[in-house]
Amino acid sequence: MNILRWLVFGIAAIAMNFPVIVTLITSFKSAKEIAMNPGLIVQAPTFANYARVLTDTSRFNIYAYLFNSTVAAFIGSFLALLLTLPAAYAIVRTGVGKKHLLPVVANLRAVPLVVFAIPLYMMFQFVGLLDTRIGLGLILTIVNLPLSLMMMVNAISDIPGEIDEAARMDRASAFVILRRIVGPVIRPAIVTAFIFGFITAWNEYLFGLMLTTRQAVPITVGSSFFFSASGGGVQWGIASAVMVLGAMPPAILGCLIYRQLTGSMTAGAVKG
Amino acid sequence: MAQIKLDGTSKVFGDITVIPPLDLEIGKGEFVVFVGPSGSGKSTLLRLIAGLEQVSGGRIYIEGRDITTTPCGDRGLAMVFQSYALYPHMTVRQNMAFPLEMAGEAKASINRSIEETAHVLDITRFLDRRPAQLSGGQRQRVAIGRAIVRNPTAFLFDEPLSNLDAALRSSTRLEIMKLHQQLGATMIYVTHDQVEAMTMADRIVVLNHGKIEQVGTPQELYERPANLFVAEFIGAPRMNRIEGEAAAALGAGTIGVRPEHIRIVQESGLWQATVEVIENLGAESHVHTRSDVAGPLVVRMSGSPGVKIGDRIGLSPADGFVHRFDRHGMALR
C-alpha cells in the first residue's frame, strides 16, 4: 500500500513538473544533441548554453533583465504591502470599507489584466513612466494589491482587539501599534504576502511586454529575446538556460514560503 | 473628594441606550466592584472610564480633572483584560517594559520597575519567557504586572478571572485582594460573579440594563437590598421569592427570605412544604422544597439536613429577616 502511494506520488510529481524537467534537461544539451536526442537522458552534458547567456551580453543582457525584474518585483510587492497593511488594519478595526470596498478590491483579481493595459499605456505615456522600472513596479503593485489586502485583513482579523486596546491604554498611537504590535505579530503573513507578491510580479509578462521596450525590460520578456539569439531558428538550449536562470529567484523564494507558514504568533496572547 | 466621578455619564449605540445617564463617585483607594448579569452594561461602563469608548453624554472626572475627551492612554489608568491581552511576540519583560517605553522612561528606571514588580508578583523567573510559554494563571499575573509598573491612578479589571479554573480563580482573587491592600490603589473591578463581588469589594455597584440598582458595601446589599433585583442577585443560593397570599399576609406585594433565614420546624410553621431535592455539600445542605402557599422554597442548613425527600415539613422565616417589596419590586422599610 505504501509503495503504491509513493508510486502515485512520484508519477504525479513528474507529470506536473514535466515541462520544468524538460527545460532543465534541455538547458544542458548542445544544439546538436537537442536535434538528435529528444530523450530525457543527456549524453554529453554541457554548460555552454549557460556560458553563452551569461557571457555574451552584447545583444541581450540577462543581467539587466534580472536587475529590472528584481527592482520592479520588489517595488510591486513591497509597495503593495506598505499600502495594504495600514488599509487592512483600518478595515478590520474600524469596519470602514469592509462591506463594499473590500469585495471590490478583492474582485480586481478576477478582472483580466489586459483590460487595464490600454488605459495604463496612455497614462504612462502621459506621465513619462513608459519603459521605467518604477512604472513597471507601480503596475505590479496594483496587480498585487488584492491578494495582499486579503492576506493582511485575514491576518489582522486573527489578532484579538483587546491587544490593540491594551496598547492604546499603554499610550501607543495607531502608528506605534501597527509598527510594534500588529506588524511583528503578523510577520509570517507579511513575509508570505511579500514572497507571493514578489513571485507574481516576477512572473508577470503582459505589462512587461506592453510598457517596456529597452531600459526596463523584465526577465520574462527578455527571455523571449534569446529564442532566436543567433538568428535563424529557435535556439532551444539557450532559451532553456535563460528560462532556468530566470525561474530560479522565484523558485527559491517559493521554497521559503513554507518556512513562514508554520506556527502562529498569536499563541498565548489571550486565553487558552 | 472622589477620585473618579461620573456625572450624568451615558452611552448610546445607535438607537440603543446601553447606559442611561448615571452618577457615581469612587473614593481614593477604594475597591469598587461593578456587578450585574450579561448585558447589564458593567463592562461598557468600565470602558467609558478607561476611555476605550467615548461617552454619549455627561462628564467623567479623575482627581477633579475633566477627562471626558482625554485619550485612554493619558488618563493615568491601567487595565487588566479578561483575555490578558499580552503582546504575544514579546517576552514578559518586554510586555512590562512597553507602557514605560511609551511613557518615555529611561531604560535603567524601566528595568528597576520591572524587577520590583516581578518580585511583588513572584514572576521573576518568567521574565524572559513569552506568553505562550506560560500557564493561564501566570499570564494573568503578567497582565497585572504590566498594569502595576505604570503606577496608575487607578486599576481597571475587566472580568480578569473568568478564564481561570475554579481553584486558580480563588487563589488569584486572594492575590488581587492582597495586592489592593499592599498598593492601596483605587481598583474598579467588573464581574458577573456575585461571590467575587461580595468577597473583594469595599463597595459594590449593582447594574442592570445599564442602570445602577444599588451602591453599597457587600453587607448593606446583603442585609438591605434596595429592590428585588439586588435581593435576588446578591447571595447564593438566591433569595426565596414569595408572592400572592403569603406575601399579602405580611403586607407586601412580594416578600423575600434568604435560604439561610428559613428554619425547618417539624410540625407547625408558617408554611407547609414537601421536600423535593436535597443538595448535600458536606459543611451545609440546600433543601429544595415546594410549599402549598409560598411555592418553591430553598432552605440552607449547616451540616446534614435531617430530612429526606418526600417529607412533609413546616417552614418558618427567622424573625426580622423577611424582606418586603412593593408591587414594583422596591423594598419596603
Side-chain angles (χ1 to χ4, degrees), chain A residues 142-162:
Chain A
I142 293 171
V143 172
N144 278 330
L145 273 177
L147 185 65
S148 182
L149 184 66
M150 292 303 291
M151 288 176 79
M152 292 301 99
V153 164
N154 286 337
I156 295 172
S157 299
D158 286 342
I159 303 177
E162 285 194 345

Side-chain angles (χ1 to χ4, degrees), chain A residues 162 165 169-170 180 265, chain B residues 47 83 87-89 101 150:
Chain A
E162 285 194 345
E165 290 178 345
M169 292 296 291
D170 286 345
R180 291 199 53 187
M265 286 298 285
Chain B
R47 290 168 63 82
S83 61
Y87 309 127
H89 59 299
E101 285 171 16
R150 294 184 53 186

Side-chain angles (χ1 to χ4, degrees), chain B residues 22 26 36 87 199 220 229 236 269 293-294 310 314 330:
Chain B
L22 60 78
I26 295 166
Y87 309 127
T199 50
E220 281 169 359
F229 178 82
V293 289
M330 302 308 290

Side-chain angles (χ1 to χ4, degrees), chain B residues 159-208:
Chain B
E159 306 213 32
L161 309 183
S162 319
N163 292 330
L164 304 179
D165 61 49
L168 203 54
R169 196 155 57 225
S170 173
S171 63
T172 311
R173 195 168 71 201
L174 282 174
E175 279 186 43
I176 294 175
M177 289 162 72
K178 278 184 200 163
L179 202 65
H180 177 241
Q181 287 167 9
Q182 211 172 329
L183 301 173
T186 309
M187 293 185 176
I188 306 176
Y189 188 104
V190 164
T191 180
H192 62 272
D193 182 347
Q194 61 92 24
V195 176
E196 267 176 42
M198 292 293 281
T199 50
M200 299 176 89
D202 293 328
R203 275 197 308 154
I204 296 175
V205 178
V206 183
L207 287 153
N208 187 29

Side-chain angles (χ1 to χ4, degrees), chain A residues 164-246:
Chain A
D164 282 37
E165 290 178 345
R168 281 171 60 200
M169 292 296 291
D170 286 345
R171 303 180 78 174
S173 64
F175 177 71
V176 171
I177 293 173
L178 204 55
R179 190 173 63 83
R180 291 199 53 187
I181 310 290
V182 174
V185 170
I186 64 162
R187 191 173 56 88
I190 291 176
V191 175
T192 307
F194 178 82
I195 293 173
F196 266 127
F198 193 91
I199 293 171
T200 305
W202 185 277
N203 291 327
E204 206 286 323
Y205 182 78
L206 178 69
F207 290 116
L209 186 66
M210 289 200 64
L211 304 177
T212 65
T213 47
R214 291 175 65 85
Q215 300 301 320
V217 173
I219 187 71
T220 44
V221 177
S223 298
S224 63
F225 297 166
F226 286 88
F227 276 49
S228 54
S230 306
V234 175
Q235 302 291 310
W236 292 115
I238 291 172
S240 298
V242 171
M243 284 191 276
V244 170
L245 289 172

Side-chain angles (χ1 to χ4, degrees), chain B residues 52 68 74 102 118 158 170 190 195 206 230 254 271 273 280 289 297 331:
Chain B
L52 292 170
T68 312
D74 298 330
M102 290 296 106
D158 190 4
S170 173
V190 164
V195 176
V206 183
V230 176
T254 306
W271 303 304
N280 195 334
T289 70
L297 294 173

